[in-house]
Amino acid sequence: MSLDVVCRDGNGLAVADRSILEEVAGYVDFDVDDANRLKALGPILCAYFEPIVDDFYATILKTEGAAAVLKGGEAQVHRLRSSLFAWLNELFVGQYDAHYLERRCRIGRVHVAIGLESRYMFAAMNRIRQGLHTAIERSGASQAGHAHRCIDKICDIELAIMLESYREHYVSQIRAAERLTTLGQIAGSIAHDLRNPLAVIDTSVHVLRRTLDADEEMDRLHVKWDRHLTRIREQTSVAADIVHGLLELAKDESSRREHIEIEALLAQVVSGIPDPKEQARVRLHLCGKRSHASLDRTQIRQLLVNLITNGLQASKGRVDVSVETDRAMLIFEVCDEGEGIPKELLSRIFEPLFTTKHRGLGLGLALCLRIAEAHQGWIHVDGGGASEGRGATFRVYLPDAVLQPGL
């Protein structure tokens, strides 16, 4: 039994990460004696874990904001109950080292990824703390005073580790926002400067093509020239799309909501994608008659077009698009049948200018995230992959968007 935070080779923790456990343990005066006491308490308190888990999830399910992130129904709750049992057991292992910290940080990052707001972490940890204190009293454990203090210390350490994940996410968002602001300022000026020469090139191509068509003496050169003119126009179109993307990214507009019919919006989105009947199929899962929402039509259409286009490119033409409503929450889901997204890239896919494609600037997903956040929402990505037997899944959560029937 030890309190060892020395980083072992290959566990992937940075020096700053290792210092978290050392710093918090020192602050709450958690030492080897506390670790030993917790390990001794484990076999005694494990009989009381079930009521603690029952109370924990009963509290979550009756708290609307916390329950909103549980989208997987009873199956998800069952998995989470097993995870909480494992988490409780690990509280009492007696060894709190870099591997322990890594596992705890991973749990915290999952909470961030699913959109559980940080304020619920305090309440959730308090439910666990109260349950463990009650378990100590009911078990008749010796030296109960020391036991209670050990529980408070380890719960404080756990909470600090969990909240560090939120701090990391907040810092990354701030950095991304600063980068996006700078990029937007540069992009705005560059895009405006590029738009005019591109328009001139496109107009000149149009005039040249008309001249070729009208001049009989140019017939023998028509095929050769037409091929080059076509290439020029295609590349001009690509450049124009980049300019458009830069201008859209440079905008910092709030959403202008209007009442829209969700199914009609999806039909409009899919109809604007090449060969929609062959390349994308839309599955609608609407709860009752609540098929109307309050959204910015233009922004959400752009978001869905970007996600579906990415899915088509990843899976060579097989994408499922579905929509769910949960109370006032609207959830769009776009699933492809590609090779998935490597885990090491998941944290970067929403960065402006980051892309794994041979073409494109990597602006589409950055714009999607900005649109979701303009609607006070978020995007969760399941990378999938060959080991999972499925492609990537993007879920867009838009709170307070669904309108009740008759509104």
Side-chain angles (χ1 to χ4, degrees):
M1 295 173 290
S2 66
L3 182 65
D4 173 22
V5 294
V6 176
C7 185
R8 297 182 177 88
D9 290 341
N11 66 11
L13 291 172
V15 174
D17 293 327
R18 298 200 303 271
S19 68
I20 297 168
L21 187 54
E22 293 176 334
E23 182 179 352
V24 178
Y27 191 81
V28 300
D29 199 25
F30 185 88
D31 55 24
V32 174
D33 289 337
D34 294 314
N36 290 334
R37 290 192 183 98
L38 285 173
K39 185 166 186 179
L41 279 171
I44 299 171
L45 299 186
C46 65
Y48 298 89
F49 287 172
E50 186 167 357
I52 292 175
V53 172
D54 289 341
D55 172 75
F56 184 84
Y57 282 104
T59 303
I60 283 183
L61 292 173
K62 69 181 182 182
T63 306
E64 184 173 352
V69 302
L70 302 179
K71 304 299 178 185
E74 294 183 4
Q76 183 184 13
V77 173
H78 178 74
R79 291 194 303 271
L80 291 174
R81 284 175 59 86
S82 298
S83 298
L84 183 54
F85 271 107
W87 182 87
L88 284 167
N89 276 300
E90 198 167 9
L91 278 183
F92 300 94
V93 296
Q95 184 156 345
Y96 308 92
D97 56 11
H99 292 299
Y100 171 87
L101 174 61
E102 182 183 18
R103 289 190 295 273
R104 285 343 208 196
C105 287
R106 192 182 304 128
I107 294 171
R109 293 183 185 114
V110 169
H111 291 155
V112 173
I114 65 175
L116 181 65
E117 295 185 28
S118 59
R119 67 176 182 270
Y120 294 117
M121 293 304 304
F122 291 94
M125 190 61 70
N126 190 51
R127 300 299 300 191
I128 298 291
R129 191 192 304 262
Q130 288 179 5
L132 292 172
H133 283 314
T134 301
I136 290 172
E137 294 169 0
R138 292 179 178 175
S139 68
S142 60
Q143 298 184 317
H146 287 300
H148 285 299
R149 284 193 290 275
C150 286
I151 291 299
D152 282 333
K153 289 179 183 180
I154 195 62
C155 285
D156 287 341
I157 290 171
E158 288 282 343
L159 183 60
I161 293 172
M162 295 290 180
L163 293 178
E164 180 66 15
S165 300
Y166 284 89
R167 187 196 70 81
E168 289 175 354
H169 180 63
Y170 176 73
V171 170
S172 68
Q173 282 188 314
I174 293 296
R175 288 174 179 169
E178 291 173 349
R179 184 182 180 192
L180 199 58
T181 298
T182 302
L183 175 63
Q185 293 170 348
I186 298 172
S189 60
I190 292 176
H192 281 296
D193 289 339
L194 285 176
R195 180 173 270 177
N196 288 335
L198 285 174
V200 172
I201 293 171
D202 191 58
T203 301
S204 297
V205 169
H206 178 71
V207 171
L208 284 171
R209 177 161 280 153
R210 289 184 61 186
T211 302
L212 283 172
D213 292 339
D215 193 338
E216 295 181 358
E217 295 182 5
M218 298 294 291
D219 280 348
R220 59 190 180 85
L221 297 176
H222 185 280
V223 174
K224 182 178 178 180
W225 280 60
D226 188 66
R227 183 172 67 251
H228 289 295
L229 290 173
T230 298
R231 287 178 180 175
I232 293 172
R233 172 155 282 181
E234 286 175 350
Q235 294 307 309
T236 302
S237 178
V238 170
D241 288 342
I242 293 173
V243 168
H244 176 74
L246 288 170
L247 287 172
E248 287 297 314
L249 201 61
K251 294 178 182 178
D252 190 15
E253 297 180 345
S254 58
S255 59
R256 299 178 180 178
R257 298 192 180 222
E258 58 180 295
H259 291 191
I260 64 174
E261 205 278 317
I262 300 170
E263 189 170 357
L265 173 65
L266 280 171
Q268 185 182 37
V269 167
V270 175
S271 67
I273 297 172
D275 300 321
K277 294 181 180 178
E278 297 179 9
Q279 298 191 51
R281 60 181 184 272
V282 178
R283 299 179 302 159
L284 299 179
H285 303 282
L286 300 176
C287 298
K289 297 181 179 179
R290 291 184 293 178
S291 60
H292 289 78
S294 176
L295 300 168
D296 185 308
R297 183 188 301 273
T298 302
Q299 289 184 356
I300 296 300
R301 183 170 60 237
Q302 183 65 60
L303 180 151
L304 292 171
V305 166
N306 288 356
L307 292 181
I308 294 172
T309 301
N310 280 357
L312 292 174
Q313 293 171 351
S315 59
K316 299 180 181 179
R318 300 295 295 175
V319 172
D320 286 336
V321 183
S322 61
V323 59
E324 303 173 19
T325 58
D326 182 4
R327 300 185 179 91
M329 180 79 75
L330 179 63
I331 308 162
F332 290 109
E333 181 177 276
V334 179
C335 308
D336 64 57
E337 297 179 2
E339 297 178 357
I341 302 171
K343 291 182 179 179
E344 63 270 18
L345 299 183
L346 280 175
S347 62
R348 300 194 60 196
I349 60 174
F350 291 108
E351 291 181 11
L353 303 182
F354 176 78
T355 181
T356 59
K357 301 174 184 177
H358 296 297
R359 297 176 62 180
L361 285 181
L363 301 176
L365 289 179
L367 182 58
C368 288
L369 183 59
R370 168 172 281 189
I371 291 171
E373 291 177 345
H375 286 75
Q376 291 75 53
W378 63 92
I379 303 177
H380 174 66
V381 185
D382 180 348
S387 61
E388 303 286 338
R390 53 189 169 77
T393 299
F394 287 78
R395 295 184 182 91
V396 183
Y397 294 89
L398 304 176
D400 301 322
V402 179
L403 298 173
Q404 297 295 331
L407 293 182

